[in-house]
Amino acid sequence: MNFKFKIGTKVLFGKECVKENKAIFKDFGKRALFVTGKNSAKASGALRDVIEVLEEYGIDYEIYDRVLNNPTLENVKEGGEAARKFNADFIIGIGGGSPLDASKAIAVLARNDIEPVDLYKNVFENKPLPIIAIPTTAGTGSEVTPYSILTRNDIKTKKSFGNEDTFPVVAFVDARYTESMSDEITIDTALDAFTHALEGYLGRRSTPVSDILAVEAIRIFGECLEDLLINKFDYDIREKLLYMSMLGGMVISHTGTTIIHGMGYSLTYFKDIPHGRANGMLVKEYLKYNYEAAKGKIDNVLGLLGVSSIEALGEIIDKLIPKKPLLTKEEIELYASLAMKQNSTLSNARTVVKEDMEEIFKNTFKDG
Amino acid sequence: MNFKFKIGTKVLFGKECVKENKAIFKDFGKRALFVTGKNSAKASGALRDVIEVLEEYGIDYEIYDRVLNNPTLENVKEGGEAARKFNADFIIGIGGGSPLDASKAIAVLARNDIEPVDLYKNVFENKPLPIIAIPTTAGTGSEVTPYSILTRNDIKTKKSFGNEDTFPVVAFVDARYTESMSDEITIDTALDAFTHALEGYLGRRSTPVSDILAVEAIRIFGECLEDLLINKFDYDIREKLLYMSMLGGMVISHTGTTIIHGMGYSLTYFKDIPHGRANGMLVKEYLKYNYEAAKGKIDNVLGLLGVSSIEALGEIIDKLIPKKPLLTKEEIELYASLAMKQNSTLSNARTVVKEDMEEIFKNTFKDG
């Protein structure tokens, strides 16, 4: 037994957690930069709740709401400049994975005069600005991970950076803020959370503690499957999904992801398939591919989900998401070669060669 | 669902973890004060391993090895003075619960010119010195908790303080360092760890995440029972016990303890019964007392341990430890009234009045 454990984030989970723990904001300084996308921070009610607290304490703020869906290096550069210009003491990221991930990059760039591409060096002269993270989706788990996943147009894929200093210091995790998600986004992001737990559990970097958390997340996903299939998204299920996604974040903070994420990035980059949905599409063939290498654990996953077989799980996921596109041979070759370059590929249970990925893509998208 | 989660400690778990992660020591400064008792830091080999690293990096050190078994306020005052005099940048606590708990008090007192009794205010002007914790027993879990439990002669009991700044920053958790424990101490401390998980799981402050960790700790304790009974303490079982105790620490970091600990303190203070053993003695009557209030969870505990009943568990624990002493009526009254004053009593599953505690003491120590 040989492992590391570190979650750098204090989590405050539950209804009205912002209001009930509002005094925390005072500890962060006098000037806050919100980092958000165009919609969810407002629509969720989270932005309004936090502004109320900031105004009560006389904390000055500015809103940088230009985070893109799948933020790019250029995007976080602009955010970093906004933080410096405003002379922010801390960052409040509100949103799905994109704003939360962008917050981490912006927090680093605000304190370090470096080119965004140098974020990937993962060593920074100055500590990033402290981050408060408030998720409005239940998928990314980014509120409890150090990872920031950015789109790199230079190498046509997404790539993550992060070190122990890029954990959000505090996460306010309130399922009310996820109620504004559409059914589609609810499902897509739930699939993202599920694959975090799944890949963390089956991957080579799994640890005893991450396994405990992963098993619980997978069990909860199983409890939610029926409601996901009929789009029954009441508060209770939203809270379960959010809890599961937080657990998934804690898992990948220790394990990273593996080939589902690495392969899914191309589906998002080139085909504009939402991240979690792209992951979900790959689950069935991923499990079949890894079955011999991780038999005991995969059988356990199926049991936890209450499904009879990998095929049955695949059918459920197919019902949850739109029809898969067709991929050309050239696309599959390109995507596989890009995914092979992801570090996370090395953590996959079974040792992967490019042809394996092509096969997984082919089997997944054969019916297009 | 409404909970907080925070573990402020980075855990490095496994054989040779000090050597394999030695570069970490460089980040802590140029002057280290070791805080230890007389024996275990040396006997375990931990002190030697760390000194080797410090010397390699030219980090100056001094050894404060005067921590008592069950350290007092007076004791940590002296330690705080030693840290100030040496102008320590950080503290390295090595040992069982006593040195690790003392480290936290010393780290606060080194930076804050206050009377030791003011540690209990739990708010300090200056952040404590950073602490590295290295356990040499598998019981306390102190390496991953913010708690420092000190003996107060003024009120004739033990009382804990701690806040988010008193988490050790790093814990090196290597089962080799627990190999020098006697069989007796191995068993006593294992019972301490078990009661952390048990009380955390059954208590009112339990959270979804602490429950996951507690269940795993209890399950592992169940796996160890047979070997504990025959004193078979090879490396594998020591590692399991150490992992369980770390999980127990993570649990109580969120939940605190309840009446077993509160009641056990008097047994240690007045009767000199080792802490974990005192806890173990109380388990059976504690479970019987709480059964109606926490039936589902207690049944689950029995299942996880693989025992048929509370009585059966009591018999196993009785086999593990020496015969209980006889208590007089006056002693029982005194101990109950002291335990009623512990804050942790409020977290017990069933609402406790003094007569309940007297009853538990009476039933536990009736056969003396």
Side-chain angles (χ1 to χ4, degrees):
Chain A
M1 201 187 287
N2 212 297
F3 66 90
K4 294 185 191 187
F5 174 88
K6 171 78 190 177
I7 300 287
T9 307
K10 174 176 179 168
V11 178
L12 298 159
F13 191 106
K15 209 180 254 184
E16 303 281 6
C17 58
V18 166
K19 211 172 280 180
E20 285 182 11
N21 300 280
K22 62 185 182 181
I24 285 178
F25 286 89
K26 284 193 292 185
D27 300 336
F28 280 78
K30 298 304 288 174
R31 300 174 72 79
L33 182 75
F34 284 100
V35 172
T36 74
K38 274 280 166 262
N39 300 313
S40 79
K42 279 186 205 123
S44 66
L47 185 65
R48 188 188 55 235
D49 283 358
V50 176
I51 285 177
E52 211 175 290
V53 172
L54 298 188
E55 290 183 343
E56 182 181 336
Y57 292 132
I59 298 170
D60 207 3
Y61 63 87
E62 202 168 88
I63 301 174
Y64 177 77
D65 64 359
R66 292 162 56 86
V67 176
L68 304 170
N69 233 335
N70 303 309
T72 59
L73 291 183
E74 297 73 22
N75 192 194
V76 296
K77 182 174 183 171
E78 184 187 81
E81 279 158 10
R84 264 205 298 270
K85 203 169 145 203
F86 180 60
N87 200 14
D89 295 323
F90 63 110
I91 303 287
I92 304 173
I94 304 180
S98 296
L100 299 192
D101 285 8
S103 294
K104 297 168 190 172
I106 289 169
V108 173
L109 294 173
R111 281 264 177 95
N112 295 277
D113 194 12
I114 57 173
E115 284 304 310
V117 71
D118 290 332
L119 289 168
Y120 293 100
K121 290 183 180 164
N122 257 335
V123 182
F124 314 115
E125 204 176 321
N126 306 308
K127 282 211 174 192
L129 291 177
I131 300 160
I132 292 174
I134 306 180
T136 61
T137 64
T140 166
S142 182
E143 69 275 13
V144 293
T145 79
Y147 306 129
S148 171
I149 298 161
L150 304 171
T151 294
R152 290 187 56 171
N153 288 317
D154 56 337
I155 53 172
K156 294 197 191 310
T157 188
K158 296 167 86 173
K159 212 170 158 68
S160 81
F161 82 93
N163 65 27
E164 279 177 24
D165 293 327
T166 53
F167 274 107
V169 177
V170 174
F172 292 99
V173 187
D174 184 338
R176 290 184 310 131
Y177 299 147
T178 66
E179 286 176 333
S180 53
M181 275 191 292
S182 67
D183 291 357
E184 214 182 344
I185 294 181
T186 303
I187 289 167
D188 289 343
T189 51
L191 287 168
D192 188 26
F194 168 59
T195 54
H196 291 155
L198 182 69
E199 290 179 83
Y201 184 53
L202 303 181
R204 290 186 186 177
R205 290 172 60 196
S206 85
T207 77
V209 180
S210 73
D211 278 358
I212 309 173
L213 303 170
V215 161
E216 182 68 357
I218 293 166
R219 193 189 63 75
I220 294 170
F221 185 66
E223 278 184 14
C224 297
L225 276 179
E226 249 177 72
D227 290 336
L228 284 166
L229 282 166
I230 56 168
N231 289 9
K232 178 176 166 273
F233 299 127
D234 59 16
Y235 184 82
D236 281 353
I237 183 137
R238 290 207 182 275
E239 193 166 62
K240 274 189 191 180
L241 292 171
L242 189 58
Y243 179 57
M244 162 182 88
S245 86
M246 183 208 72
L247 291 174
M250 290 180 172
V251 171
I252 57 168
S253 286
H254 295 99
T255 63
T257 55
T258 63
I259 57 171
I260 289 183
H261 271 68
M263 293 171 71
Y265 290 153
S266 282
L267 299 172
T268 302
Y269 190 88
F270 295 102
K271 294 287 178 185
D272 214 22
I273 299 175
H275 171 60
R277 187 185 303 173
N279 291 348
M281 288 174 174
L282 294 160
V283 164
K284 183 175 89 179
E285 293 298 328
Y286 160 81
L287 288 174
K288 283 165 68 178
Y289 171 69
N290 280 296
Y291 189 69
E292 284 307 318
K295 202 171 165 160
K297 281 188 163 182
I298 291 177
D299 285 342
N300 195 30
V301 167
L302 299 175
L304 289 163
L305 296 175
V307 299
S308 57
S309 65
I310 294 174
E311 291 295 336
L313 176 60
E315 277 167 32
I316 291 174
I317 295 175
D318 281 345
K319 280 186 200 152
L320 289 171
I321 56 180
K323 205 164 147 50
K324 294 164 196 150
L326 268 176
L327 298 185
T328 65
K329 197 160 171 273
E330 291 68 33
E331 285 171 326
I332 287 177
E333 260 183 22
L334 172 64
Y335 301 175
S337 65
L338 286 168
M340 282 302 292
K341 289 181 196 154
Q342 295 282 349
N343 288 332
S344 56
T345 296
L346 298 171
S347 316
N348 192 67
R350 183 168 158 190
T351 302
V352 186
V353 296
K354 190 177 156 222
E355 289 67 30
D356 297 337
M357 287 192 171
E358 291 177 353
E359 196 68 16
I360 293 172
F361 274 125
K362 219 171 70 189
N363 291 337
T364 300
F365 294 99
K366 63 184 168 192
D367 310 318
Chain B
M1 202 187 288
N2 211 297
F3 67 89
K4 294 185 190 186
F5 175 89
K6 171 77 189 179
I7 300 287
T9 306
K10 173 176 178 169
V11 179
L12 299 158
F13 191 108
K15 209 179 254 184
E16 303 279 4
C17 58
V18 166
K19 209 172 282 178
E20 284 180 11
N21 300 280
K22 63 185 182 181
I24 285 179
F25 286 88
K26 284 192 292 183
D27 300 335
F28 280 78
K30 298 303 288 176
R31 298 174 74 79
L33 181 75
F34 285 100
V35 173
T36 74
K38 273 283 166 261
N39 300 313
S40 79
K42 280 186 204 122
S44 65
L47 185 65
R48 189 190 52 235
D49 283 359
V50 177
I51 285 178
E52 209 176 291
V53 172
L54 298 188
E55 290 183 343
E56 182 181 338
Y57 292 132
I59 297 170
D60 207 3
Y61 63 88
E62 202 169 88
I63 301 175
Y64 177 78
D65 63 359
R66 291 162 57 85
V67 177
L68 304 170
N69 232 334
N70 303 308
T72 58
L73 292 183
E74 296 73 22
N75 193 191
V76 296
K77 182 175 182 170
E78 185 187 81
E81 280 157 10
R84 266 206 297 271
K85 202 169 145 202
F86 181 61
N87 200 16
D89 295 323
F90 63 111
I91 303 287
I92 304 172
I94 304 180
S98 297
L100 299 192
D101 285 9
S103 294
K104 296 168 190 172
I106 289 169
V108 174
L109 294 172
R111 281 262 178 96
N112 295 276
D113 194 12
I114 57 173
E115 283 306 308
V117 73
D118 291 332
L119 288 168
Y120 293 101
K121 291 185 181 163
N122 257 337
V123 182
F124 314 114
E125 205 178 318
N126 306 308
K127 284 213 175 191
L129 291 177
I131 300 161
I132 292 174
I134 307 180
T136 61
T137 64
T140 169
S142 182
E143 68 275 11
V144 292
T145 80
Y147 306 128
S148 171
I149 297 160
L150 303 173
T151 295
R152 289 187 56 173
N153 288 316
D154 57 338
I155 53 172
K156 293 198 189 314
T157 189
K158 296 167 86 174
K159 215 169 156 68
S160 80
F161 83 92
N163 66 24
E164 280 179 22
D165 292 328
T166 54
F167 273 106
V169 178
V170 174
F172 291 99
V173 187
D174 183 338
R176 290 184 311 131
Y177 300 147
T178 66
E179 286 177 332
S180 54
M181 275 193 291
S182 67
D183 291 356
E184 217 180 341
I185 295 181
T186 303
I187 288 167
D188 290 342
T189 51
L191 286 168
D192 188 26
F194 168 58
T195 55
H196 292 155
L198 182 69
E199 291 179 82
Y201 183 52
L202 302 180
R204 290 188 187 176
R205 293 173 59 198
S206 85
T207 77
V209 179
S210 72
D211 278 359
I212 309 173
L213 303 170
V215 161
E216 181 69 357
I218 294 166
R219 192 188 64 74
I220 293 170
F221 184 66
E223 279 185 13
C224 296
L225 277 179
E226 248 177 74
D227 290 337
L228 284 167
L229 282 166
I230 56 168
N231 289 8
K232 178 176 163 272
F233 299 127
D234 59 18
Y235 184 82
D236 281 353
I237 182 134
R238 289 206 182 277
E239 193 166 64
K240 274 189 187 178
L241 291 171
L242 189 58
Y243 178 57
M244 162 182 86
S245 86
M246 183 208 73
L247 291 173
M250 290 179 171
V251 171
I252 57 167
S253 286
H254 295 98
T255 63
T257 55
T258 64
I259 57 171
I260 289 183
H261 272 69
M263 295 172 69
Y265 291 154
S266 282
L267 300 172
T268 301
Y269 189 88
F270 295 102
K271 294 288 178 184
D272 214 23
I273 299 175
H275 172 61
R277 188 186 303 172
N279 291 348
M281 288 176 174
L282 293 160
V283 163
K284 184 175 86 180
E285 293 299 327
Y286 160 82
L287 288 174
K288 283 165 68 179
Y289 171 69
N290 281 296
Y291 189 69
E292 283 309 317
K295 205 171 162 156
K297 279 188 163 183
I298 291 178
D299 285 342
N300 195 29
V301 167
L302 299 174
L304 289 164
L305 295 176
V307 298
S308 56
S309 66
I310 293 174
E311 292 295 335
L313 175 59
E315 278 167 31
I316 291 173
I317 294 175
D318 281 346
K319 280 185 200 154
L320 290 172
I321 57 179
K323 204 163 149 46
K324 294 163 196 149
L326 267 176
L327 298 185
T328 66
K329 197 162 168 274
E330 291 68 35
E331 285 172 327
I332 285 177
E333 262 184 20
L334 172 65
Y335 301 175
S337 64
L338 286 168
M340 281 302 293
K341 290 182 195 152
Q342 296 281 350
N343 289 333
S344 56
T345 296
L346 299 171
S347 317
N348 193 67
R350 183 169 159 190
T351 302
V352 186
V353 296
K354 190 179 155 220
E355 289 68 31
D356 298 338
M357 285 193 172
E358 290 176 355
E359 197 67 18
I360 295 172
F361 274 126
K362 221 171 70 189
N363 291 336
T364 301
F365 295 98
K366 64 184 168 192
D367 310 317

Coordinates of all heavy atoms in Angstrom, one line a residue, chain B residues 30 72 330:
Chain B
K30 N 14.7 26.3 7.3 CA 16.1 26.0 7.6 C 16.3 25.4 9.0 O 17.4 25.0 9.4 CB 17.0 27.2 7.4 CG 17.0 27.7 6.0 CD 17.4 26.7 4.9 CE 18.9 26.3 5.0 NZ 19.2 25.2 4.0
T72 N 0.7 17.6 29.4 CA 0.0 18.6 30.1 C 0.2 20.0 29.5 O 1.1 20.2 28.7 CB 0.5 18.6 31.6 OG1 1.9 19.0 31.5 CG2 0.3 17.3 32.2
E330 N -18.4 6.4 44.2 CA -17.9 7.8 44.2 C -17.1 8.1 42.9 O -17.3 9.1 42.3 CB -17.1 8.1 45.4 CG -17.8 8.1 46.7 CD -18.4 6.7 47.2 OE1 -17.7 5.7 46.9 OE2 -19.5 6.7 47.7

